[in-house]
Every structure is written in structure tokens, then in C-alpha cells.
Amino acid sequence: MLAGKNILLCVTGSIAAYKSAILVRLLVKQGANVKVIMTQAAQQFISPLTLSTLSKNPVLTQYADEKGNWNSHVELGLWAHVILVAPSSANTLAKMANGICDNLLTATYLSARCPVAVSPAMDLDMYQHPTTLNNLAKLRSYGNLVVPARFGELASGLVGEGRMAEPEEIIAFLEEEVFAPEQETLKGKTVLITAGPTMEPIDPVRYISNHSTGKMGFALAQQFLRFGAKVTLIKGPTTAQPTFNGNLNVIEVSTASEMFDAVTREFEGKDITVMAAAVADYTPAEVSGKKIKKDGHVLELQLVKTRDILAEIGRIKKTGQILVGFALETNDEEKHALEKLKKKNLDIIVLNSLRDSGAGFGHDTNQVTLLDNKGGKKQFELKNKTAVALDIVKAITEQL
Ligand code: CTP
């Protein structure tokens, strides 16, 4: 299962670093491509030469090597199918949980879009300390995976929880938690996602739009790709231009009308459609061919309703096609979301409330409730949008 996978192993300062040699050996034996990043502290426990020999790749320790060649953290992050931090010291866990970016490892972690797994290794009291527990909970809330530490004798001589999992256990964890779902669940499925705002022109220089950044739709596309689906992403104009690993077709549109045409054209035959775009509900009745001059105190702009894309595809959807919409509400949230679910003939509606801080437009986080057409309800805590996307993809997979 690991053959051909790009695994970025990050080794930090813990006595368990000696097990990294066995881990690299086993990964290479399975046919994985392994690159290793080591922190300064890790090099006091095991030599880079050992890991470069076993991985057949130079070990990376700095932003640039001694010849001045840059080790691009961005490229490393994009190369990796998984980042595995093993052993993960309390110090590195804390940095990752809090966005501290002071070495090649943490910079790569922040740049990466692939799954991340950490395998903690530390003394029992450090492992049980509230700050470590909080940091692990934060990492989980970002969608990162934690290989639980094991019970046993520790380097201090004390006995308790804190030993790094054995290399064989870590490999089994990668196979089950990272790569197995990707191979099975959505292979052969076709997915249509919309993301970002639309831009409704008023004249050649002005437009009406909204604060959507597209982040939620991009995170969904990334997760669907991870599970092996073939994704078509229809996106409105966004500042962020993400790059994706996998089978993705991107269609750029600008106005609600262009998005309507693209979605209705692409919808046929798609197994799953998720409308995450913030489509303008109204558009100027007429677009001035020339820049509108300012004369007079008041400028009246007549707006006409755009066509509801989601309602239209809900009307034409066939049995077996799954349709998911979003609802951003400020009051009577659940009631309004359920009305939209029914009115637009959806299978699932993703509700975010503007009353929850950290949810909705612009944030990297979101807090959602999923309501489905069988009366099901799943409420989630505030999470990074990658983790929210994973929850949504899992709920959709259950419906298939
Ligand atoms: N949507 C759409 N086409 C539109 C407007 C919205 O496809 N012209 C989709 C959005 O992508 C979202 C869902 O409909 O998935 C809900 O959008 P929202 O604007 O919240 O709902 P409306 O039905 O427009 O109701 P209201 O604006 O009155 O809350």
C-alpha cells in the first residue's frame, strides 16, 4: 500500500529518534520514497548520515544546504503524500499546534496540504501535562492524525505512557488511517464543487461581490482528491490560487450567470455535487458600457434576482446523485437551513451561523452543523477548514 508514496519523515529531539532508522528501513522496503527532515536536537540522538544512507536521499536540516542550495519548504510540502513527525517531541508538537515557524520542519508543516501524522515520544509526565494534551487536541482539530504513544518503560526509568509507537505500528497506522480510505472509498466517483464568490459587473470598472475567499471549497476539493475521486472545481474570482495534487479540472467563471451555465453543463452524471460558492443573489439589471460618472447625490442601481443554481440542479437531479448545499444564517439557523434543504431538494445542507465566532467567510476555521434529508444531524466544533472538509466528505460517503 505504501509503494510509490512520498513520505516526508520529520525527526525531532527525542531518544526514540533511534527508532527512525528502522522506520526508514521499513518504509523503503515497502517501496515508499522517503525524504527526511531532522531538527538540530534530533541530530544529537541519531546521525543524519544513518538516515540519508537508509532513505537514499540527503537529509535536510536547514533552509539551505552548505552549497547554498535552497531546500524549499513549499516544494517539500507539495511533494509529500504524508508528513510523518516521528518521534515528535513536546517542543515540536507545541510549535506545530501554535503556528511557530522557526525551522525547516515547522515551515514545511505550515506549507503542506497533505495529511500530517504525529507520533509523540516523551516522558510520562510531559505526555500528561495539560499543555501537551491541549496541543494534541489542537492538532487533531486541524485534521492532523495522532499515533497514540504507548505504555512501557521510558528512557528515564519510569514506567508509563509516552513511548513512541513501534515502527511497525506506525506503518500500520499510515496504511489504515492515511492511505486505506484514499484507495477505497471514492475511487471512480465524479465530484463537482463550486467555490468562491461571483462578481457582478456594474460598469467596466465596478462590480458587486462578497467576502468569500473560496477556502472552504478548495479544502473540499483537496479532501475529495485524497479519497480518490475525480473532481471538477468551478470557481469564482479569488485572490488565492491553490494548487492541487490529483485528478482535478478547474473551470474559472466570474458572474452568477456564468456559474449557472458551467454548473448546469457539468452537473449531468456527477455522483456528488457540493455548492460551496457564495453566489450573488442579485445582479445589476443593466451593465453600463461606459464608466458611470458621479453626478447627483444619489445613484440608483436596479438589481434583478439571479437564477438559483442549487435549486435548478436540485430540480433536475437523478436518483443516486448526491447534492449538498451551504446555508449561512444569522438567526433561526436550523429552521432556515431545513427549509433550504427541502426547497432545493438537497441530500445534505452544511449550516454555518454568523453568530459563531471563527465561522464563515474569510476565516481559516469554520463551525458547521450537517443536516440531512433523513432527519440526521451532526454538530461539529470549530475546526480548521481542512478538518471541516474531511467531516463533510465522510458524511457524504456515508450517504452513498
Ligand atoms: N446558491 C445558488 N445560487 C444562487 C444563490 C445561492 O446555487 N443564486 C446556493 C449556494 O451556493 C448555497 C445555497 O444556495 O449552497 C444557499 O445559499 P443562500 O444564499 O444562503 O440561500 P438562499 O436560498 O439564496 O436564501 P437567502 O439568501 O434568502 O438566505
Side-chain angles (χ1 to χ4, degrees):
M1 202 178 276
L2 298 181
K5 298 291 182 214
N6 295 341
I7 298 181
L8 185 60
L9 175 68
C10 299
V11 183
T12 73
S14 152
I15 181 64
Y18 78 90
K19 293 185 188 172
S20 308
I22 304 161
L23 191 53
V24 174
R25 180 86 190 92
L26 293 176
L27 289 168
V28 170
K29 233 174 148 177
Q30 293 226 14
N33 308 310
V34 182
K35 288 188 183 177
V36 180
I37 293 181
M38 293 178 81
T39 61
Q40 293 300 317
Q43 294 167 59
Q44 295 184 318
F45 291 94
I46 182 167
S47 127
L49 185 62
T50 308
L51 299 185
S52 65
T53 310
L54 291 169
S55 66
K56 303 183 176 67
N57 275 314
V59 166
L60 310 166
T61 56
Q62 308 275 356
Y63 288 106
D65 66 19
E66 54 286 352
K67 291 187 200 122
N69 299 315
W70 186 42
N71 295 322
S72 165
H73 53 284
V74 177
E75 276 173 26
L76 277 169
L78 290 176
W79 172 84
H81 292 128
V82 64
I83 291 183
L84 169 64
V85 188
S88 180
S89 64
N91 185 40
T92 291
L93 283 183
K95 287 184 192 174
M96 289 167 70
N98 294 289
I100 294 170
C101 181
D102 64 350
N103 60 27
L104 182 62
L105 187 163
T106 45
T108 307
Y109 166 68
L110 287 179
S111 319
R113 299 209 178 104
C114 62
V116 176
V118 295
S119 186
M122 62 198 78
D123 215 62
L124 74 167
D125 294 310
M126 295 171 81
Y127 193 56
Q128 289 306 328
H129 197 283
T131 193
T132 305
L133 297 177
N134 275 337
N135 288 332
L136 285 170
K138 272 193 193 174
L139 290 176
R140 283 198 183 94
S141 79
Y142 306 156
N144 299 160
L145 301 159
V146 179
V147 189
R150 303 289 177 229
F151 186 91
E153 192 181 340
L154 301 158
S156 60
L158 298 173
V159 175
E161 219 173 11
R163 279 172 69 93
M164 185 174 92
E166 293 305 320
E168 292 80 1
E169 291 174 313
I170 295 175
I171 286 180
F173 183 93
L174 290 185
E175 287 176 339
E176 280 159 32
E177 303 291 328
V178 181
F179 293 114
E182 178 188 285
Q183 296 211 334
E184 286 159 18
T185 38
L186 295 175
K187 198 147 189 110
K189 297 286 177 206
T190 50
V191 178
L192 178 62
I193 296 172
T194 64
T198 63
M199 212 180 244
E200 310 302 318
I202 298 170
D203 68 16
V205 292
R206 303 176 178 101
Y207 59 84
I208 297 173
S209 192
N210 58 61
H211 292 297
S212 169
T213 56
K215 282 180 187 166
M216 195 60 245
F218 301 156
L220 280 162
Q222 191 60 67
Q223 290 294 355
F224 276 115
L225 289 171
R226 215 188 116 204
F227 286 87
K230 189 172 175 214
V231 178
T232 301
L233 174 69
I234 298 176
K235 64 174 280 295
T238 56
T239 329
Q241 295 299 338
T243 49
F244 297 91
N245 292 322
N247 204 345
L248 182 86
N249 171 29
V250 181
I251 299 171
E252 305 260 359
V253 295
S254 183
T255 62
S257 164
E258 286 170 14
M259 190 171 277
F260 182 95
D261 292 343
V263 172
T264 47
R265 191 179 63 236
E266 293 293 326
F267 177 64
E268 202 187 332
K270 294 289 181 303
D271 298 302
I272 299 161
T273 299
V274 186
M275 276 292 301
V279 187
D281 286 326
Y282 288 88
T283 190
E286 276 175 35
V287 182
S288 168
K290 291 193 194 118
K291 187 180 171 203
I292 300 171
K293 288 290 175 193
K294 53 174 180 304
D295 45 31
H297 271 310
V298 178
L299 170 71
E300 277 191 14
L301 207 58
Q302 203 178 24
L303 302 176
V304 291
K305 215 169 184 179
T306 57
R307 285 168 296 177
D308 191 316
I309 307 169
L310 191 55
E312 172 60 17
I313 55 177
R315 199 180 59 75
I316 59 173
K317 98 171 172 188
K318 302 214 168 76
T319 317
Q321 280 188 297
I322 294 208
L323 189 54
V324 181
F326 274 70
L328 180 62
E329 306 292 343
T330 55
N331 57 293
D332 294 327
E333 289 86 346
E334 219 169 295
K335 179 172 163 277
H336 287 137
L338 285 170
E339 280 164 9
K340 284 177 192 173
L341 176 90
K342 216 166 158 203
K343 196 171 92 192
K344 303 194 189 194
N345 192 22
L346 309 180
D347 298 274
I348 297 176
I349 192 147
V350 183
L351 165 65
N352 352 211
S353 169
L354 269 189
R355 283 198 281 184
D356 295 325
S357 59
F361 288 162
H363 299 284
D364 286 325
T365 51
N366 205 354
Q367 181 166 10
V368 302
T369 302
L370 304 185
L371 303 164
D372 68 43
N373 58 355
K374 298 179 187 82
K377 176 177 166 181
K378 286 192 172 96
Q379 223 162 349
F380 297 95
E381 72 233 39
L382 187 73
K383 293 181 180 187
N384 176 288
K385 282 184 175 164
T386 306
V388 174
L390 182 61
D391 290 333
I392 296 171
V393 171
K394 282 185 176 164
I396 293 171
T397 310
E398 281 168 23
Q399 284 247 349
L400 275 173

